[in-house]
Amino acid sequence: MTSTINSLLGEISGARIDCGLRSSMCGGELLARARSLAHRLIGTCRDGRPVAVALDQGLENCVADLALLLSGLPAVPLPSFFTPQQRDHATQAAGASVILTASPNDPDGISVHPIATRDAFIPEETAKISFTSGSTGTPKGICLSVGHLLAVAQSVVDRIGKGNAGRHLALLPPGILLENVAGFYATLLAGGTYVALPQAEVGLAHPFLPDFAKMVEVIAGEHVSSVILVPEYLAGIVTVLEAADVRLPHLTIVAVGGAHVPPAMIDRALAAGLPVRQGYGLTECGSVVTLEDSGESARGSVGRPFDHNSITIAPDGEVIVHGPTFLGTVGAPRAPTPCATGDIGRIDNQGRLWIEGRKSNRIITSHGRNVSPEWVESVLLGEDAIVQAMVTGEGQSSLSALIVSGNPDTDIEAAIAAANSRLPAYAHVQSWRRVAPFSPANGQLTANGRLQRDAIIRTHFHGEDEMPFFERLEKETLTARNCLAATPQLMAGLTGDISRETYIAYLTQAYHHVRHTVPLLKETLARVGDRPELVSALEEYIAEETGHEAWILGDISEAGGDAQLAAASAPNAATQAMIDHAYDVVRNGNPVGFFGMVYVLEGTSVALATQGASAVARKLDLPPQAFTYLSSHGSLDQEHMKGLATLLDGFDDPADQQAVIDMANRMFDLFGGLFASIPMGMLDAAA
């Protein structure tokens, strides 16, 4: 192990770490900091047990990673998107003795907290225990050696070329093995600069609600030459580039992996000037196994295997990886044998791997035909009208699909017909229905964008009595939510294509409805009766929402508007209708229905804050002080939505559930009316 680490340390001197305004240092300084922390850890963790790491992207995370390699203590990175339960499971399962967290008052900015766990059996030579959420909510710990990880990193450098080492930006959340190995280690080995900024500063304050406009802004501003993306991030960046008609000329490598990328998305990325290279890998193989060569002409393959491993295809089509593999899982060591991936694929006559689906997902129709759902889904996703798709049909005579579209007016029937024209008859989709988006937040996507098929099936094919109420609410408000999303004024706001006058007009209407938020909360509180969980939630909302109308008036002033005039104005008729309906439900109907309004307003404000605020600020050159209301509600309402989901899932009275659904559907309609009441002439003036 020592010789392997020394090979990395010998290359570090030529590398740099760039953490923006906070710090920037050469490889020698980084190594000195890492050695200092390693000494602390060895003195603290005398039992040699694993060390959990809960740090944001930045200098501290880089120092901790190298320090753990130097100390010989197994690292347990905890991804930022893990739930508290998943973090606790990972630390307990691995038997971690301490956890590293950020603390400016401690040496190296890192605090070492002892934690109480039982000792666990860890395979010999384990350097990193990577907990992957996989297809279930309970992570499993994959044990990997430092020799294996650095062999993968070196293969990345060999494939890309050391001469291409430039400025690599860490976009994937901390704790993700792909970024750690192919980003951090590979950049150090190549002598490049690793740009490690906090997630919030690169548009990822919430990893599952990315601000892609901010992401593009950082890539451009930092002169980034390489990034590693999951397909969702690629799609978001491409959409921003297309909408703004901008390019990122400094990028020379955009590596994409983690899940299937539709060919149509690759074509769009190339048209937007992104030098995309697809790769394939899995945690058990140290992250990356294959990567496309530069200028690869066969779009859709994931490239050739690295030199340190090889690939064969089993008789049933399963991809088998030969070469260094994982040491086992926590408590279960494993002999060095080839790794059966569970993926179905083929190798072409150029040695390139093509992934065609998952072995466990294969559908066998009643006609006895084997169909990979990923294959059909990729063809469906080639249609612009279809944003997400999941295909089913086990034991059936034909295939069905759940479809997510970006616009309620799109012709899904025509899109499916077009897709079917490119598929053999036995793989045609004969029936479909539109559903709410699949996301990690609702448990229907993994962190890297893979469909959680079992969870989706439970949601959409089991009876409503088995469905959590929050999922049912999303399902039964889908049409109304899509109608709101299609409002031209809202769409323009999300892309920043509005004038200063339009932004001020929006803030004015926001002021008129937001100033009623606390009074409505208080009236609801007075009417919900003896229900402690509702009383507690409402009291918390009241405390947090008090004074927000003053923030809006301040934003109007900073944007160049007249705050006093806005406050003295009368609300638009559509805004007044929304306010009146809310009071009517609370006073004369079921007051619990008010939470349907909370669901609509907070969900919409998250989208406006995470996507719209930075786009509008950049387009209109307005200061951050003009976005106090939106910016605060981005992070605040993300947390509120999590709490709201938990609260609503506790509603077991059908009358309460229906009141929330009815209010949400009506509020989507009325809120759409509020946006539609902003004159389109203002938008035309901005174009």
Side-chain angles (χ1 to χ4, degrees), residues 33 37 55-65 102 108-110:
R33 292 275 295 271
L37 177 58
L55 294 166
D56 197 354
Q57 295 287 22
L59 177 62
E60 292 79 12
N61 196 42
C62 296
V63 169
D65 192 292
D108 302 307
I110 297 172

Side-chain angles (χ1 to χ4, degrees), residues 12 56 63 81 176 230 257 261 309 327 365 372-373 376 435 459 500 517 526 592-593 609 636 679:
I12 284 181
D56 197 354
V63 169
F81 54 80
I176 296 296
V230 293
V261 184
N309 57 34
L327 303 170
T365 70
S372 168
V376 181
V435 297
T459 298
R500 185 185 301 259
T517 300
V592 172
L636 181 64

Side-chain angles (χ1 to χ4, degrees), residues 113-174:
H113 294 284
I115 52 177
T117 64
R118 293 182 179 180
D119 196 6
F121 178 79
I122 306 298
E124 189 176 350
E125 298 189 5
T126 296
K128 199 174 296 285
I129 306 173
S130 183
F131 278 84
T132 62
S133 56
S135 59
T136 68
T138 303
K140 61 179 180 177
I142 307 297
C143 299
L144 300 155
S145 71
V146 65
H148 182 190
L149 296 176
L150 294 185
V152 175
Q154 185 61 56
S155 289
V156 172
V157 175
D158 293 343
R159 178 62 54 87
I160 291 174
K162 197 169 183 178
N164 284 325
R167 291 175 59 79
H168 177 86
L169 174 65
L171 282 177
L172 299 183

Side-chain angles (χ1 to χ4, degrees), residues 355-532:
I355 299 297
E356 298 178 331
R358 286 288 294 171
K359 185 177 178 180
S360 60
N361 295 334
R362 182 175 287 177
I363 295 169
I364 303 177
T365 70
S366 60
H367 295 288
R369 299 310 302 262
N370 292 323
V371 180
S372 168
E374 292 91 345
W375 165 44
V376 181
E377 288 156 4
S378 70
V379 176
L380 290 170
L381 293 172
E383 298 298 318
D384 291 342
I386 299 176
V387 176
Q388 292 175 309
M390 193 188 93
V391 171
T392 63
E394 178 66 26
Q396 303 298 312
S397 61
S398 62
L399 301 182
S400 301
L402 300 175
I403 301 295
V404 177
S405 64
N407 188 313
D409 296 327
T410 53
D411 190 344
I412 301 300
E413 198 71 52
I416 290 178
N420 282 341
S421 70
R422 300 193 299 276
L423 291 164
Y426 66 84
H428 283 187
V429 173
Q430 299 294 348
S431 62
W432 63 276
R433 57 190 169 102
R434 200 188 303 253
V435 297
F438 311 133
S439 73
N442 62 23
Q444 295 173 20
L445 280 185
T446 64
N448 60 7
R450 295 180 187 268
L451 295 174
Q452 294 273 36
R453 296 179 187 274
D454 289 345
I456 294 170
I457 287 171
R458 283 195 303 272
T459 298
H460 296 287
F461 293 102
H462 290 185
E464 289 185 350
D465 290 342
E466 303 175 44
M467 187 187 301
F469 175 53
F470 191 78
E471 290 185 9
R472 182 184 162 210
L473 175 62
E474 289 189 314
K475 176 183 176 182
E476 296 200 16
T477 58
L478 173 64
T479 300
R481 183 167 60 251
N482 283 341
C483 286
L484 169 63
T487 306
Q489 287 87 340
L490 179 57
M491 294 173 67
L494 292 174
T495 59
D497 191 21
I498 61 174
S499 67
R500 185 185 301 259
E501 291 76 16
T502 299
Y503 179 53
I504 293 171
Y506 158 72
L507 288 175
T508 301
Q509 297 312 306
Y511 165 79
H512 285 304
H513 77 75
V514 168
R515 71 188 180 90
H516 289 278
T517 300
V518 171
L520 279 164
L521 285 165
K522 289 181 176 179
E523 291 213 26
T524 304
L525 178 62
R527 288 171 167 79
V528 295
D530 186 19
R531 299 178 63 172

Side-chain angles (χ1 to χ4, degrees), residues 612-634:
S614 62
V616 173
R618 185 175 60 255
K619 177 73 179 290
L620 301 181
D621 194 26
L622 291 174
Q625 295 85 351
F627 298 90
T628 305
Y629 171 68
L630 282 181
S631 298
S632 66
H633 275 252

Side-chain angles (χ1 to χ4, degrees), residues 71-95:
S71 69
L73 297 167
V76 185
L78 300 175
S80 57
F81 54 80
F82 268 15
T83 65
Q85 294 79 8
Q86 287 176 320
R87 287 192 173 204
D88 184 63
H89 168 79
T91 54
Q92 293 293 329

